[in-house]
Amino acid sequence: MPIEDEHAVDALLRLSREEPLEIVAVGPMTNLAVALMKDPDFAGRVRSLTIMGGHIRHVEYGGHVFA
């Protein structure tokens, strides 16, 4: 298959306007973050998001510690 000229973020936004997306993320979700920054309504057009989890030893968020 030929390499697409369209950037992945633009493809996500375009496809999400055609029908709700079911996204499976198996790595960093940078493209999803950029899509949300470009179009905050993008999240409402995602039917489901499945992620491949990882392991974090220590996280601090809002004064809470998750270990």
Side-chain angles (χ1 to χ4, degrees):
M1 292 180 64
I3 295 174
E4 295 290 330
D5 289 332
E6 183 178 30
H7 192 281
V9 171
D10 297 326
L12 283 168
L13 294 173
R14 177 180 54 77
L15 292 168
S16 71
R17 290 185 185 102
E18 295 173 9
E19 61 182 281
L21 297 181
E22 296 183 22
I23 298 172
V24 178
V26 295
M29 294 182 277
T30 310
N31 288 335
L32 295 179
V34 174
L36 283 168
M37 289 190 316
K38 288 181 78 171
D39 181 358
D41 294 330
F42 171 69
R45 298 191 303 270
V46 175
R47 178 180 297 156
S48 66
L49 172 61
T50 303
I51 62 172
M52 182 176 72
H55 176 76
I56 299 175
R57 293 180 186 260
H58 180 92
V59 175
E60 293 184 35
Y61 179 77
H64 300 282
V65 176
F66 302 91

